Amino acid sequence: MSLSAHEFQFVSSLVRREASIVLEPGKEYLVEARLLPLARKAGLASVTEFLLRAQSPSGRQDRDSIVDALTTNETSWFRDREPFTAMTELVIPNVVKSRGPSRHLRVWSAASSSGQEPYTLAILLKENLPPGWTYEILGTDISTEMLARAERGRYSQLEVNRGLPAPLLVKHFTRAGAEWEVAAPIKKAVSFKRLNLAAPFPPMPAFDVVFLRNVLIYFDVETKRGVLKRIRNLLKPDGWLFLGAAETTMGIDDGFERVVTGRTSAYRPRTGISAPVGVTGKG
C-alpha cells in the first residue's frame, strides 16, 4: 500500500527540516521502501502504523530513525575510480611538493556513510605517500547508524567485493569470522563524527582535500551555496575539493576554480590559485 499524501508530507517535511534534503513528489515508493524495515523492526504491521507512532510526542527516536533511513546513500570501495586516480596522479604529487616541511596530510570525507570512502582514502594514502609522511582522515555523516558501522570497520564478503581489489583486501584487512575487518594501521588513521552538512559546522582544522561526493544533489540551491561556502572556508588556500560526477560548483559558488584531470574534475579555492598547466578549466 502506497503512502498517503499526508504521510509523505510528514516525512518530506521532517527530512527537509532535519537534514535539508528535498524529497519531491514521486518519491513515495522510495520512502515506503526505506521505512518498511523500520516498521517491521518495531513489530508494527505497516508503515502507516510506524508513522503514526513517529508523529506522537514520544516518537523522537522514530523520527531520528526516519532521517537516518532516508539519508543513507549508496557507497562502495574506490567508487567511480576516477577521483581516486586523480588523487594518485595529481593531488598527492602536488601536496607532497607543497607540504614538504610538515609532511602531513589532512583529508575530510564529508558524507562517509558506512565508511568505505574514508577507508579507501586511507588505503590510497598508505600506498602512495612517500616514507615519513603522516595523514589523518575525518569521516562525517548525519546518520548515527552508518557512523557506528563505519567505526566498527567490518564488512561482509559481498561488501568488500564491491570495488576493493583483492591484493588490497589481503594487505589491509584481516579475517573476522565471516567478515573482513580494516587493519589497525588503516583504522587508526580514520576518525568519525556526526555532522549535518546543512547546519553550521563545529570548529575544525583546515583540510588539504575534501571529498563531498553525491551529496549536493539532494539539496536545494541555497543549501548547496551554504555548504560550499563553509567547506571553502575550511579548505587550505591550495586545497582540493571532489564532488560527484553529476555535481558542480559552477553557478552556485564562484569562489572555486574547476580543475580537469583525466576523466574527472576537482575544485580549488579561486583566490590566488593557479592550477597546474594544462589542466585548468574555469568554472
Side-chain angles (χ1 to χ4, degrees):
M1 181 178 179
S2 60
L3 297 180
S4 69
H6 172 76
E7 290 168 340
F8 182 75
Q9 179 61 38
F10 165 72
V11 173
S12 59
S13 296
L14 173 67
V15 175
R16 178 68 175 264
R17 182 174 67 251
E18 298 291 333
S20 296
I21 289 177
V22 179
L23 288 174
E24 300 285 357
K27 298 288 187 179
E28 289 85 354
Y29 175 79
L30 169 66
V31 170
E32 187 171 24
R34 293 286 180 90
L35 299 189
L36 185 57
L38 298 182
R40 289 174 173 166
K41 184 178 179 180
L44 300 173
S46 66
V47 171
T48 293
E49 287 187 26
F50 178 74
L51 290 176
L52 283 172
R53 194 176 82 170
Q55 293 175 71
S56 70
S58 60
R60 178 72 259 181
Q61 187 174 346
D62 290 333
R63 294 192 291 273
D64 289 344
S65 296
I66 291 170
V67 174
D68 268 9
L70 290 168
T71 54
T72 301
N73 296 318
E74 182 74 8
T75 189
S76 60
W77 305 92
F78 292 90
R79 185 179 180 187
D80 301 329
R81 288 285 168 181
E82 295 301 327
F84 300 100
T85 300
M87 278 286 291
T88 302
E89 296 181 355
L90 177 64
V91 176
I92 290 177
N94 271 262
V95 170
V96 167
K97 184 176 180 180
S98 61
R99 303 285 187 273
S102 67
R103 299 166 72 87
H104 184 74
L105 186 61
R106 184 178 290 113
V107 181
W108 178 16
S109 171
S112 58
S113 189
S114 48
Q116 283 91 329
E117 182 176 272
Y119 287 132
T120 293
L121 288 165
I123 291 169
L124 185 146
L125 294 177
K126 178 78 170 175
E127 292 281 322
N128 290 280
L129 281 174
W133 278 73
T134 57
Y135 58 93
E136 58 184 294
I137 296 169
L138 172 64
T140 65
D141 203 273
I142 196 173
S143 169
T144 53
E145 180 181 352
M146 288 297 103
L147 289 171
R149 285 205 61 212
E151 287 182 327
R152 188 166 175 260
R154 288 191 176 191
Y155 301 92
S156 68
Q157 186 68 54
L158 180 62
E159 287 173 318
V160 297
N161 284 347
R162 298 191 63 199
L164 186 62
L168 295 182
L169 173 63
V170 173
K171 187 174 182 180
H172 297 294
F173 289 74
T174 58
R175 270 288 190 184
E179 297 178 309
W180 290 90
E181 183 170 2
V182 179
I186 298 299
K187 190 180 287 189
K188 185 179 178 180
V190 184
S191 62
F192 294 94
K193 67 186 294 185
R194 186 178 187 276
L195 187 141
N196 184 349
L197 290 168
F201 297 166
M204 290 192 286
F207 293 95
D208 299 285
V209 183
V210 175
F211 270 55
L212 178 72
R213 303 177 62 226
N214 307 303
V215 181
L216 293 180
I217 52 175
Y218 297 103
F219 297 150
D220 61 29
V221 172
E222 285 306 311
T223 302
K224 291 177 185 179
R225 188 169 288 124
V227 172
L228 287 171
K229 180 180 180 180
R230 289 191 290 275
I231 285 179
R232 179 160 45 83
N233 289 338
L234 281 173
L235 265 180
K236 292 183 179 179
D238 59 347
W240 302 78
L241 169 66
F242 284 91
L243 302 177
E247 299 167 326
T248 183
T249 66
M250 294 187 292
I252 302 171
D253 187 329
D254 60 6
F256 284 98
E257 178 179 50
R258 186 166 69 100
V259 178
V260 178
T261 170
R263 297 170 61 186
T264 191
S265 297
Y267 300 85
R268 310 189 77 181
R270 185 180 292 277
T271 305
I273 297 299
S274 296
V277 175
V279 297
T280 300
K282 299 296 183 180

mmCIF file of all heavy atoms in Angstrom, residues 7-25 31 60 63 66-68 70-71 142 196-199 216-224:
data_model
loop_
_atom_site.group_PDB
_atom_site.id
_atom_site.type_symbol
_atom_site.label_atom_id
_atom_site.label_comp_id
_atom_site.label_asym_id
_atom_site.label_seq_id
_atom_site.Cartn_x
_atom_site.Cartn_y
_atom_site.Cartn_z
ATOM 1 N N GLU A 7 1.004 11.356 4.799
ATOM 2 C CA GLU A 7 2.177 10.649 5.314
ATOM 3 C C GLU A 7 3.444 11.098 4.602
ATOM 4 O O GLU A 7 4.487 11.329 5.238
ATOM 5 C CB GLU A 7 1.972 9.140 5.150
ATOM 6 C CG GLU A 7 0.907 8.568 6.072
ATOM 7 C CD GLU A 7 0.502 7.159 5.706
ATOM 8 O OE1 GLU A 7 0.746 6.744 4.532
ATOM 9 O OE2 GLU A 7 -0.062 6.466 6.567
ATOM 10 N N PHE A 8 3.365 11.223 3.275
ATOM 11 C CA PHE A 8 4.538 11.667 2.525
ATOM 12 C C PHE A 8 4.927 13.092 2.921
ATOM 13 O O PHE A 8 6.112 13.411 3.055
ATOM 14 C CB PHE A 8 4.276 11.595 1.023
ATOM 15 C CG PHE A 8 5.466 11.999 0.199
ATOM 16 C CD1 PHE A 8 6.551 11.142 0.057
ATOM 17 C CD2 PHE A 8 5.509 13.231 -0.428
ATOM 18 C CE1 PHE A 8 7.659 11.520 -0.697
ATOM 19 C CE2 PHE A 8 6.603 13.614 -1.182
ATOM 20 C CZ PHE A 8 7.684 12.750 -1.313
ATOM 21 N N GLN A 9 3.932 13.941 3.143
ATOM 22 C CA GLN A 9 4.207 15.314 3.549
ATOM 23 C C GLN A 9 4.919 15.356 4.903
ATOM 24 O O GLN A 9 5.858 16.128 5.108
ATOM 25 C CB GLN A 9 2.906 16.119 3.630
ATOM 26 C CG GLN A 9 3.085 17.569 4.067
ATOM 27 C CD GLN A 9 3.965 18.363 3.115
ATOM 28 O OE1 GLN A 9 3.895 18.187 1.891
ATOM 29 N NE2 GLN A 9 4.810 19.223 3.658
ATOM 30 N N PHE A 10 4.487 14.504 5.829
ATOM 31 C CA PHE A 10 5.138 14.446 7.137
ATOM 32 C C PHE A 10 6.606 14.051 6.991
ATOM 33 O O PHE A 10 7.510 14.682 7.563
ATOM 34 C CB PHE A 10 4.419 13.453 8.053
ATOM 35 C CG PHE A 10 5.218 13.077 9.274
ATOM 36 C CD1 PHE A 10 5.401 13.980 10.305
ATOM 37 C CD2 PHE A 10 5.806 11.810 9.374
ATOM 38 C CE1 PHE A 10 6.162 13.643 11.420
ATOM 39 C CE2 PHE A 10 6.557 11.467 10.482
ATOM 40 C CZ PHE A 10 6.733 12.384 11.511
ATOM 41 N N VAL A 11 6.859 13.001 6.211
ATOM 42 C CA VAL A 11 8.230 12.515 6.053
ATOM 43 C C VAL A 11 9.097 13.535 5.320
ATOM 44 O O VAL A 11 10.226 13.833 5.739
ATOM 45 C CB VAL A 11 8.251 11.166 5.308
ATOM 46 C CG1 VAL A 11 9.680 10.740 4.996
ATOM 47 C CG2 VAL A 11 7.551 10.088 6.130
ATOM 48 N N SER A 12 8.595 14.087 4.234
ATOM 49 C CA SER A 12 9.392 15.038 3.453
ATOM 50 C C SER A 12 9.680 16.300 4.259
ATOM 51 O O SER A 12 10.787 16.847 4.197
ATOM 52 C CB SER A 12 8.691 15.386 2.134
ATOM 53 O OG SER A 12 7.421 15.955 2.357
ATOM 54 N N SER A 13 8.714 16.758 5.058
ATOM 55 C CA SER A 13 8.938 17.937 5.905
ATOM 56 C C SER A 13 9.963 17.644 6.990
ATOM 57 O O SER A 13 10.817 18.481 7.298
ATOM 58 C CB SER A 13 7.616 18.386 6.543
ATOM 59 O OG SER A 13 6.700 18.803 5.561
ATOM 60 N N LEU A 14 9.877 16.450 7.569
ATOM 61 C CA LEU A 14 10.831 16.056 8.606
ATOM 62 C C LEU A 14 12.247 16.019 8.065
ATOM 63 O O LEU A 14 13.179 16.581 8.659
ATOM 64 C CB LEU A 14 10.439 14.683 9.158
ATOM 65 C CG LEU A 14 11.419 14.024 10.139
ATOM 66 C CD1 LEU A 14 11.494 14.817 11.431
ATOM 67 C CD2 LEU A 14 11.013 12.572 10.403
ATOM 68 N N VAL A 15 12.429 15.375 6.922
ATOM 69 C CA VAL A 15 13.764 15.232 6.351
ATOM 70 C C VAL A 15 14.294 16.589 5.880
ATOM 71 O O VAL A 15 15.488 16.880 6.023
ATOM 72 C CB VAL A 15 13.747 14.202 5.205
ATOM 73 C CG1 VAL A 15 15.094 14.127 4.517
ATOM 74 C CG2 VAL A 15 13.363 12.831 5.738
ATOM 75 N N ARG A 16 13.414 17.428 5.361
ATOM 76 C CA ARG A 16 13.819 18.770 4.949
ATOM 77 C C ARG A 16 14.266 19.586 6.166
ATOM 78 O O ARG A 16 15.296 20.279 6.130
ATOM 79 C CB ARG A 16 12.654 19.461 4.228
ATOM 80 C CG ARG A 16 12.926 20.900 3.782
ATOM 81 C CD ARG A 16 13.970 20.952 2.678
ATOM 82 N NE ARG A 16 14.157 22.275 2.162
ATOM 83 C CZ ARG A 16 13.547 22.752 1.073
ATOM 84 N NH1 ARG A 16 12.715 21.982 0.394
ATOM 85 N NH2 ARG A 16 13.776 23.984 0.660
ATOM 86 N N ARG A 17 13.519 19.496 7.242
ATOM 87 C CA ARG A 17 13.830 20.272 8.445
ATOM 88 C C ARG A 17 15.114 19.780 9.116
ATOM 89 O O ARG A 17 15.951 20.578 9.547
ATOM 90 C CB ARG A 17 12.668 20.183 9.426
ATOM 91 C CG ARG A 17 12.850 20.998 10.707
ATOM 92 C CD ARG A 17 11.604 20.976 11.555
ATOM 93 N NE ARG A 17 11.310 19.645 12.093
ATOM 94 C CZ ARG A 17 10.302 18.885 11.682
ATOM 95 N NH1 ARG A 17 9.490 19.299 10.723
ATOM 96 N NH2 ARG A 17 10.092 17.692 12.214
ATOM 97 N N GLU A 18 15.294 18.463 9.208
ATOM 98 C CA GLU A 18 16.415 17.907 9.954
ATOM 99 C C GLU A 18 17.699 17.799 9.136
ATOM 100 O O GLU A 18 18.793 17.881 9.703
ATOM 101 C CB GLU A 18 16.040 16.506 10.478
ATOM 102 C CG GLU A 18 14.879 16.486 11.447
ATOM 103 C CD GLU A 18 15.221 17.126 12.782
ATOM 104 O OE1 GLU A 18 16.401 17.115 13.164
ATOM 105 O OE2 GLU A 18 14.294 17.644 13.444
ATOM 106 N N ALA A 19 17.568 17.587 7.816
ATOM 107 C CA ALA A 19 18.753 17.326 7.004
ATOM 108 C C ALA A 19 18.836 18.169 5.742
ATOM 109 O O ALA A 19 19.782 18.017 4.969
ATOM 110 C CB ALA A 19 18.815 15.846 6.623
ATOM 111 N N SER A 20 17.853 19.044 5.523
ATOM 112 C CA SER A 20 17.803 19.914 4.334
ATOM 113 C C SER A 20 17.759 19.129 3.033
ATOM 114 O O SER A 20 18.137 19.640 1.977
ATOM 115 C CB SER A 20 18.996 20.879 4.314
ATOM 116 O OG SER A 20 18.935 21.759 5.412
ATOM 117 N N ILE A 21 17.298 17.909 3.087
ATOM 118 C CA ILE A 21 17.170 17.076 1.887
ATOM 119 C C ILE A 21 15.773 17.244 1.311
ATOM 120 O O ILE A 21 14.776 17.187 2.038
ATOM 121 C CB ILE A 21 17.460 15.608 2.208
ATOM 122 C CG1 ILE A 21 18.959 15.443 2.491
ATOM 123 C CG2 ILE A 21 17.016 14.684 1.093
ATOM 124 C CD1 ILE A 21 19.367 14.060 2.890
ATOM 125 N N VAL A 22 15.700 17.448 0.026
ATOM 126 C CA VAL A 22 14.438 17.692 -0.655
ATOM 127 C C VAL A 22 13.914 16.393 -1.254
ATOM 128 O O VAL A 22 14.572 15.775 -2.099
ATOM 129 C CB VAL A 22 14.607 18.753 -1.762
ATOM 130 C CG1 VAL A 22 13.282 18.988 -2.476
ATOM 131 C CG2 VAL A 22 15.136 20.056 -1.185
ATOM 132 N N LEU A 23 12.742 15.981 -0.806
ATOM 133 C CA LEU A 23 12.055 14.813 -1.374
ATOM 134 C C LEU A 23 10.875 15.306 -2.205
ATOM 135 O O LEU A 23 9.870 15.755 -1.671
ATOM 136 C CB LEU A 23 11.549 13.885 -0.264
ATOM 137 C CG LEU A 23 12.591 13.072 0.496
ATOM 138 C CD1 LEU A 23 11.925 12.324 1.643
ATOM 139 C CD2 LEU A 23 13.312 12.102 -0.421
ATOM 140 N N GLU A 24 11.014 15.238 -3.499
ATOM 141 C CA GLU A 24 9.971 15.713 -4.393
ATOM 142 C C GLU A 24 8.853 14.672 -4.500
ATOM 143 O O GLU A 24 9.097 13.470 -4.331
ATOM 144 C CB GLU A 24 10.545 15.988 -5.785
ATOM 145 C CG GLU A 24 11.644 17.048 -5.808
ATOM 146 C CD GLU A 24 11.095 18.454 -5.644
ATOM 147 O OE1 GLU A 24 9.854 18.602 -5.579
ATOM 148 O OE2 GLU A 24 11.909 19.394 -5.582
ATOM 149 N N PRO A 25 7.624 15.106 -4.792
ATOM 150 C CA PRO A 25 6.553 14.146 -5.079
ATOM 151 C C PRO A 25 6.996 13.170 -6.168
ATOM 152 O O PRO A 25 7.696 13.550 -7.115
ATOM 153 C CB PRO A 25 5.412 15.047 -5.570
ATOM 154 C CG PRO A 25 5.659 16.350 -4.879
ATOM 155 C CD PRO A 25 7.159 16.515 -4.843
ATOM 156 N N VAL A 31 10.391 6.226 -0.227
ATOM 157 C CA VAL A 31 10.165 6.449 1.198
ATOM 158 C C VAL A 31 9.591 5.198 1.845
ATOM 159 O O VAL A 31 10.059 4.744 2.896
ATOM 160 C CB VAL A 31 9.239 7.663 1.416
ATOM 161 C CG1 VAL A 31 8.811 7.761 2.875
ATOM 162 C CG2 VAL A 31 9.936 8.946 0.979
ATOM 163 N N ARG A 60 10.319 10.682 19.162
ATOM 164 C CA ARG A 60 11.583 11.292 18.752
ATOM 165 C C ARG A 60 12.562 10.270 18.172
ATOM 166 O O ARG A 60 13.207 10.514 17.147
ATOM 167 C CB ARG A 60 12.223 11.977 19.950
ATOM 168 C CG ARG A 60 13.581 12.638 19.714
ATOM 169 C CD ARG A 60 13.456 13.892 18.887
ATOM 170 N NE ARG A 60 13.812 13.693 17.499
ATOM 171 C CZ ARG A 60 13.800 14.643 16.586
ATOM 172 N NH1 ARG A 60 13.397 15.856 16.898
ATOM 173 N NH2 ARG A 60 14.137 14.394 15.343
ATOM 174 N N ARG A 63 11.495 9.308 14.741
ATOM 175 C CA ARG A 63 11.765 10.381 13.771
ATOM 176 C C ARG A 63 13.251 10.411 13.389
ATOM 177 O O ARG A 63 13.600 10.611 12.219
ATOM 178 C CB ARG A 63 11.316 11.731 14.336
ATOM 179 C CG ARG A 63 9.800 11.828 14.523
ATOM 180 C CD ARG A 63 9.336 13.233 14.794
ATOM 181 N NE ARG A 63 9.754 13.752 16.097
ATOM 182 C CZ ARG A 63 9.087 13.575 17.229
ATOM 183 N NH1 ARG A 63 7.965 12.858 17.236
ATOM 184 N NH2 ARG A 63 9.515 14.101 18.366
ATOM 185 N N ILE A 66 13.851 7.696 10.915
ATOM 186 C CA ILE A 66 13.375 8.056 9.579
ATOM 187 C C ILE A 66 14.430 8.875 8.855
ATOM 188 O O ILE A 66 14.744 8.620 7.675
ATOM 189 C CB ILE A 66 12.050 8.826 9.669
ATOM 190 C CG1 ILE A 66 10.933 7.889 10.138
ATOM 191 C CG2 ILE A 66 11.692 9.450 8.311
ATOM 192 C CD1 ILE A 66 9.637 8.606 10.481
ATOM 193 N N VAL A 67 15.003 9.858 9.534
ATOM 194 C CA VAL A 67 16.037 10.685 8.917
ATOM 195 C C VAL A 67 17.239 9.833 8.546
ATOM 196 O O VAL A 67 17.788 9.951 7.440
ATOM 197 C CB VAL A 67 16.451 11.832 9.875
ATOM 198 C CG1 VAL A 67 17.633 12.611 9.287
ATOM 199 C CG2 VAL A 67 15.277 12.769 10.110
ATOM 200 N N ASP A 68 17.640 8.940 9.453
ATOM 201 C CA ASP A 68 18.751 8.035 9.144
ATOM 202 C C ASP A 68 18.462 7.211 7.896
ATOM 203 O O ASP A 68 19.296 7.087 6.998
ATOM 204 C CB ASP A 68 18.989 7.086 10.320
ATOM 205 C CG ASP A 68 20.015 7.617 11.315
ATOM 206 O OD1 ASP A 68 20.409 8.780 11.178
ATOM 207 O OD2 ASP A 68 20.402 6.862 12.218
ATOM 208 N N LEU A 70 16.538 7.736 5.383
ATOM 209 C CA LEU A 70 16.397 8.471 4.129
ATOM 210 C C LEU A 70 17.624 9.305 3.774
ATOM 211 O O LEU A 70 17.642 9.968 2.745
ATOM 212 C CB LEU A 70 15.149 9.357 4.190
ATOM 213 C CG LEU A 70 13.851 8.530 4.155
ATOM 214 C CD1 LEU A 70 12.656 9.393 4.520
ATOM 215 C CD2 LEU A 70 13.649 7.891 2.794
ATOM 216 N N THR A 71 18.655 9.256 4.600
ATOM 217 C CA THR A 71 19.901 9.947 4.263
ATOM 218 C C THR A 71 21.042 8.957 4.092
ATOM 219 O O THR A 71 22.190 9.341 3.991
ATOM 220 C CB THR A 71 20.281 10.967 5.348
ATOM 221 O OG1 THR A 71 20.330 10.312 6.624
ATOM 222 C CG2 THR A 71 19.277 12.096 5.403
ATOM 223 N N ILE A 142 25.478 12.277 8.745
ATOM 224 C CA ILE A 142 24.350 12.643 9.597
ATOM 225 C C ILE A 142 23.714 11.424 10.252
ATOM 226 O O ILE A 142 23.014 11.530 11.258
ATOM 227 C CB ILE A 142 23.289 13.431 8.788
ATOM 228 C CG1 ILE A 142 22.315 14.142 9.740
ATOM 229 C CG2 ILE A 142 22.569 12.526 7.798
ATOM 230 C CD1 ILE A 142 21.354 15.073 9.038
ATOM 231 N N ASN A 196 25.872 17.456 10.445
ATOM 232 C CA ASN A 196 24.838 17.828 9.480
ATOM 233 C C ASN A 196 25.424 18.892 8.567
ATOM 234 O O ASN A 196 25.665 20.030 8.989
ATOM 235 C CB ASN A 196 23.607 18.360 10.217
ATOM 236 C CG ASN A 196 22.456 18.688 9.284
ATOM 237 O OD1 ASN A 196 22.616 18.718 8.060
ATOM 238 N ND2 ASN A 196 21.293 18.939 9.849
ATOM 239 N N LEU A 197 25.666 18.537 7.316
ATOM 240 C CA LEU A 197 26.308 19.463 6.381
ATOM 241 C C LEU A 197 25.501 20.724 6.154
ATOM 242 O O LEU A 197 26.048 21.769 5.810
ATOM 243 C CB LEU A 197 26.551 18.759 5.043
ATOM 244 C CG LEU A 197 27.623 17.680 5.042
ATOM 245 C CD1 LEU A 197 27.558 16.879 3.753
ATOM 246 C CD2 LEU A 197 29.006 18.286 5.222
ATOM 247 N N ALA A 198 24.185 20.635 6.332
ATOM 248 C CA ALA A 198 23.324 21.790 6.062
ATOM 249 C C ALA A 198 23.272 22.779 7.221
ATOM 250 O O ALA A 198 22.694 23.851 7.086
ATOM 251 C CB ALA A 198 21.918 21.315 5.731
ATOM 252 N N ALA A 199 23.884 22.436 8.346
ATOM 253 C CA ALA A 199 23.897 23.309 9.518
ATOM 254 C C ALA A 199 25.297 23.903 9.692
ATOM 255 O O ALA A 199 26.264 23.420 9.083
ATOM 256 C CB ALA A 199 23.494 22.516 10.758
ATOM 257 N N LEU A 216 25.390 16.961 -2.698
ATOM 258 C CA LEU A 216 24.753 18.221 -3.096
ATOM 259 C C LEU A 216 23.500 17.994 -3.936
ATOM 260 O O LEU A 216 22.592 18.828 -3.938
ATOM 261 C CB LEU A 216 25.741 19.096 -3.881
ATOM 262 C CG LEU A 216 26.944 19.636 -3.108
ATOM 263 C CD1 LEU A 216 27.813 20.487 -4.029
ATOM 264 C CD2 LEU A 216 26.524 20.438 -1.890
ATOM 265 N N ILE A 217 23.423 16.891 -4.637
ATOM 266 C CA ILE A 217 22.268 16.629 -5.498
ATOM 267 C C ILE A 217 20.967 16.541 -4.700
ATOM 268 O O ILE A 217 19.887 16.687 -5.267
ATOM 269 C CB ILE A 217 22.453 15.327 -6.317
ATOM 270 C CG1 ILE A 217 22.812 14.150 -5.404
ATOM 271 C CG2 ILE A 217 23.501 15.516 -7.392
ATOM 272 C CD1 ILE A 217 22.882 12.820 -6.118
ATOM 273 N N TYR A 218 21.064 16.330 -3.393
ATOM 274 C CA TYR A 218 19.859 16.219 -2.569
ATOM 275 C C TYR A 218 19.416 17.555 -1.977
ATOM 276 O O TYR A 218 18.376 17.621 -1.325
ATOM 277 C CB TYR A 218 20.099 15.215 -1.437
ATOM 278 C CG TYR A 218 20.370 13.824 -1.931
ATOM 279 C CD1 TYR A 218 21.670 13.313 -1.949
ATOM 280 C CD2 TYR A 218 19.337 13.014 -2.410
ATOM 281 C CE1 TYR A 218 21.932 12.020 -2.411
ATOM 282 C CE2 TYR A 218 19.591 11.728 -2.879
ATOM 283 C CZ TYR A 218 20.880 11.245 -2.872
ATOM 284 O OH TYR A 218 21.135 9.975 -3.343
ATOM 285 N N PHE A 219 20.211 18.618 -2.169
ATOM 286 C CA PHE A 219 19.929 19.909 -1.557
ATOM 287 C C PHE A 219 19.381 20.903 -2.572
ATOM 288 O O PHE A 219 19.662 20.801 -3.777
ATOM 289 C CB PHE A 219 21.207 20.504 -0.952
ATOM 290 C CG PHE A 219 21.803 19.695 0.172
ATOM 291 C CD1 PHE A 219 23.174 19.708 0.390
ATOM 292 C CD2 PHE A 219 21.003 18.934 1.010
ATOM 293 C CE1 PHE A 219 23.736 18.987 1.427
ATOM 294 C CE2 PHE A 219 21.559 18.204 2.053
ATOM 295 C CZ PHE A 219 22.925 18.225 2.262
ATOM 296 N N ASP A 220 18.639 21.898 -2.073
ATOM 297 C CA ASP A 220 18.248 22.998 -2.951
ATOM 298 C C ASP A 220 19.435 23.947 -3.124
ATOM 299 O O ASP A 220 20.474 23.808 -2.482
ATOM 300 C CB ASP A 220 17.007 23.725 -2.412
ATOM 301 C CG ASP A 220 17.222 24.342 -1.040
ATOM 302 O OD1 ASP A 220 18.368 24.711 -0.705
ATOM 303 O OD2 ASP A 220 16.235 24.485 -0.282
ATOM 304 N N VAL A 221 19.278 24.936 -4.019
ATOM 305 C CA VAL A 221 20.415 25.784 -4.401
ATOM 306 C C VAL A 221 20.963 26.562 -3.210
ATOM 307 O O VAL A 221 22.193 26.654 -3.024
ATOM 308 C CB VAL A 221 20.013 26.744 -5.540
ATOM 309 C CG1 VAL A 221 21.133 27.749 -5.805
ATOM 310 C CG2 VAL A 221 19.704 25.963 -6.807
ATOM 311 N N GLU A 222 20.097 27.110 -2.379
ATOM 312 C CA GLU A 222 20.571 27.895 -1.248
ATOM 313 C C GLU A 222 21.346 27.039 -0.264
ATOM 314 O O GLU A 222 22.358 27.478 0.300
ATOM 315 C CB GLU A 222 19.395 28.587 -0.556
ATOM 316 C CG GLU A 222 18.860 29.780 -1.326
ATOM 317 C CD GLU A 222 19.947 30.802 -1.656
ATOM 318 O OE1 GLU A 222 20.705 31.185 -0.731
ATOM 319 O OE2 GLU A 222 20.064 31.204 -2.824
ATOM 320 N N THR A 223 20.886 25.821 -0.040
ATOM 321 C CA THR A 223 21.608 24.926 0.860
ATOM 322 C C THR A 223 22.951 24.548 0.255
ATOM 323 O O THR A 223 23.976 24.521 0.946
ATOM 324 C CB THR A 223 20.775 23.665 1.147
ATOM 325 O OG1 THR A 223 19.518 24.047 1.704
ATOM 326 C CG2 THR A 223 21.495 22.758 2.132
ATOM 327 N N LYS A 224 22.983 24.252 -1.041
ATOM 328 C CA LYS A 224 24.251 23.961 -1.716
ATOM 329 C C LYS A 224 25.229 25.119 -1.547
ATOM 330 O O LYS A 224 26.422 24.911 -1.261
ATOM 331 C CB LYS A 224 24.018 23.719 -3.205
ATOM 332 C CG LYS A 224 23.270 22.454 -3.550
ATOM 333 C CD LYS A 224 23.042 22.364 -5.051
ATOM 334 C CE LYS A 224 22.190 21.166 -5.413
ATOM 335 N NZ LYS A 224 21.939 21.079 -6.861
#
